[in-house]
Amino acid sequence: MKINFLFLGLLLALPQLGAAQGWPRLSLDSVLRRVERDNPRLRQYDAQIKAAEAYAKGARTWAPPRVGAGTFMMPYAPARRGEPMDNAMGRGSVMVSVEQMIPSPARQRVTERYLQSRTGVEQESRAYERNQLLAEVRQNYFAWLLLKRKERVLDGTEELLRFIIRSIELRYKYGGEKLSDAFRAKAELQRHHAEVLEVQGQMEEKRMALNTLMNRHPGEIFEIDTTYSRPDYSDAPDTATLARSRSDIRRLDRTLARTRLQQELELTSSRPEFGVQYQHMNTLGRNTPNQYTLMGMVSVPIVPWAARGYQANVAGLSLEAQALRAQRNALVAQAKGRASGLLARLQSKAAQVELYEKNIIPAVLKSYRASLLAYEQNTEQMPAVLQAWESLRAVRLEAINQEMELVQLQTDYERELEQ
């Protein structure tokens, strides 16, 4: 009737993973590389960057020439009766004209720089989207890892519970236990099975989420690397470091530079543009020579009715630049505040996890072992052992829940810093 205490002590160790199933094992770095390479949301930005580069190639083009043909100085009235044929044939000409406007080289240079600036904005937009995706990958990956730990804890406590049930049934035959204790233990086993199914469903959800992020079929099976090192963060970064590391702040800087270039482009509208026009007249008379006209043209954009347009645009762009600077300052301040708050919560949660690992779990484990020893010596009843088992199981699961919250805070903090 004695319970082998040493055997129960061996059962307290968490069971190791079973033999490999032959599925591919993907490390975190491997998943991150696949997401960066294959995720369609990032491919969208790659296409937009190439589109911006293509637009910039047409910045130095000229306006197309204008060609015209028609009659010149043709009379409305036909030739009068008795008028000499030469006079009649000399009325009017057939004209061909060509006109070409010559763009300002300075305006072309500014236009090219302005179109090229869109590439930088799209690159920072891609970097921002990349940071969001990789943070989502880390969150799902680490959550899956900790769910596997929870599954191992549940497997270990299930073996303990089954051993307790066998002990109750054995003692019940000899009148040493109550039948109600066996029913209670079996009910706990069924509740335990329900929790195992929930954990398995959560792991399946994380696997499908990672497959989706890697642009693979959601049902594709793979395993993850279960090694995990907890990072140590001490001080929050300063505003200068945040401004350099965060892509949304850099995107505002690029947008501000693009606004300045657009303002410079509007200012080039005040510069005149030149053009040339050539006309050739082929007269219809026999004695009238052919004629031509060669003219130079220049635009006059400084006249009041033309200048109001670009002057208003320049003033509006100055105000937009002012708004962007204010938005940037606000974003830096908010990022600094969020990073400091997350770091404080992260350090507090890390201390809680360490408290569970070094103090709470060992204390509850000692209580459980003491209950088993008392039960072995017939000085304790089975309900006390079940209560100790429930406490040990709950505190182990709670320790993993606390680490899940720590991983979530870590992911949010690294997302904020774009690490």
Side-chain angles (χ1 to χ4, degrees):
M1 295 296 297
K2 284 254 188 180
I3 298 177
N4 191 329
F5 181 76
L6 292 178
F7 179 67
L8 279 176
L10 291 175
L11 288 176
L12 286 173
L14 294 178
Q16 301 299 320
L17 289 175
Q21 303 296 321
W23 298 326
R25 185 179 299 274
L26 299 180
S27 65
L28 177 59
D29 290 339
S30 177
V31 175
L32 292 173
R33 285 194 300 269
R34 290 176 183 233
V35 170
E36 190 166 4
R37 182 191 64 193
D38 299 331
N39 190 275
R41 286 157 64 181
L42 293 181
R43 290 181 180 178
Q44 166 193 346
Y45 286 100
D46 292 336
Q48 290 176 345
I49 290 171
K50 292 179 181 178
E53 294 172 349
Y55 289 138
K57 292 179 181 178
R60 292 181 179 266
T61 57
W62 286 26
R66 292 191 293 181
V67 180
T71 58
F72 177 71
M73 298 182 68
M74 295 291 292
Y76 282 103
R80 295 186 295 272
R81 183 178 299 176
E83 184 179 3
M85 184 60 66
D86 290 344
N87 292 345
M89 294 298 293
R91 291 185 176 186
S93 304
V94 176
M95 182 179 68
V96 177
S97 67
V98 178
E99 181 180 334
Q100 175 66 59
M101 295 301 295
I102 302 172
S104 169
R107 183 176 178 82
Q108 285 186 320
R109 287 193 298 269
V110 176
T111 302
E112 184 176 25
R113 288 161 52 200
Y114 171 70
L115 293 175
Q116 288 173 344
S117 66
R118 181 187 165 189
T119 303
V121 176
E122 295 294 346
Q123 287 173 344
E124 297 304 338
S125 298
R126 183 189 187 278
Y128 179 83
E129 187 66 31
R130 171 184 177 272
N131 177 58
Q132 301 301 313
L133 287 172
L134 299 190
E136 192 174 347
V137 168
R138 288 192 294 269
Q139 178 180 339
N140 284 285
Y141 195 95
F142 288 137
W144 187 359
L145 184 151
L146 292 173
L147 284 169
K148 292 176 78 69
R149 289 188 183 180
K150 183 178 284 191
E151 186 182 38
R152 291 198 295 271
V153 168
L154 291 173
D155 289 342
T157 54
E158 180 180 348
E159 289 299 323
L160 289 174
L161 184 58
R162 288 185 180 278
F163 189 84
I164 290 173
I165 291 173
R166 288 195 296 270
S167 175
I168 293 174
E169 291 175 344
L170 182 61
R171 286 195 173 198
Y172 173 73
K173 293 180 180 179
Y174 299 94
E177 291 293 348
K178 299 178 181 179
L179 186 60
S180 60
D181 291 337
F183 289 148
R184 177 186 173 186
K186 290 181 178 179
E188 287 292 335
L189 182 61
Q190 297 303 317
R191 188 169 66 88
H192 176 85
H193 286 164
E195 190 163 358
V196 169
L197 290 175
E198 181 181 0
V199 169
Q200 290 174 348
Q202 291 173 348
M203 288 194 295
E204 184 72 9
E205 179 187 9
K206 303 304 178 186
R207 180 176 63 81
M208 290 184 174
L210 290 174
N211 275 326
T212 302
L213 288 168
M214 289 186 288
N215 198 23
R216 306 199 311 178
H217 189 277
E220 194 165 346
I221 298 178
F222 68 95
E223 281 295 331
I224 60 172
D225 189 358
T226 55
T227 57
Y228 165 68
S229 59
R230 193 178 300 155
D232 182 22
Y233 297 108
S234 55
D235 298 323
D238 54 21
T239 54
T241 304
L242 278 173
R244 288 192 302 269
S245 63
R246 286 181 60 109
S247 56
D248 53 350
I249 298 176
R250 296 197 307 268
R251 181 173 58 187
L252 278 177
D253 291 336
R254 298 268 194 171
T255 305
L256 182 59
R258 180 176 169 85
T259 303
R260 293 195 189 102
L261 285 172
Q262 188 177 0
Q263 189 177 35
E264 187 178 348
L265 181 60
E266 289 292 338
L267 286 172
T268 59
S269 299
S270 63
R271 299 183 180 183
E273 289 187 349
F274 298 91
V276 62
Q277 184 184 61
Y278 173 76
Q279 295 176 336
H280 171 75
M281 281 75 72
N282 192 9
T283 58
L284 300 177
R286 298 178 180 177
N287 299 324
T288 305
N290 295 336
Q291 300 173 346
Y292 74 93
T293 301
L294 181 61
M295 298 177 60
M297 296 175 294
V298 60
S299 64
V300 188
I302 60 174
V303 295
W305 57 87
R308 282 194 295 266
Y310 64 80
Q311 289 173 353
N313 291 339
V314 170
L317 289 169
S318 297
L319 294 174
E320 284 191 17
Q322 182 179 347
L324 286 171
R325 285 190 290 269
Q327 183 182 357
R328 182 189 186 278
N329 294 336
L331 185 59
V332 171
Q334 291 172 3
K336 175 67 175 176
R338 285 195 299 266
S340 299
L342 284 170
L343 180 60
R345 292 178 59 193
L346 187 62
Q347 292 171 341
S348 175
K349 186 60 67 175
Q352 292 180 46
V353 171
E354 185 176 0
L355 186 65
Y356 267 92
E357 292 175 347
K358 292 184 178 180
N359 293 40
I360 298 177
I361 292 179
V364 176
L365 182 59
K366 288 178 183 179
S367 174
Y368 176 69
R369 286 173 173 170
S371 297
L372 285 178
L373 182 60
Y375 182 69
E376 177 188 1
Q377 295 172 354
N378 293 322
T379 59
E380 189 64 87
Q381 299 296 319
M382 179 53 65
V385 178
L386 284 175
Q387 183 65 39
W389 171 86
E390 290 176 359
S391 299
L392 178 62
R393 173 180 175 276
V395 76
R396 279 177 167 172
L397 295 178
E398 180 59 25
I400 296 178
N401 291 335
Q402 292 291 325
E403 189 153 5
M404 283 184 173
E405 294 180 12
L406 175 64
V407 165
Q408 179 64 57
L409 288 171
Q410 172 192 335
T411 304
D412 293 340
Y413 185 69
E414 291 176 350
R415 187 203 308 262
E416 202 69 34
L417 271 58
E418 291 204 23
Q419 290 185 346

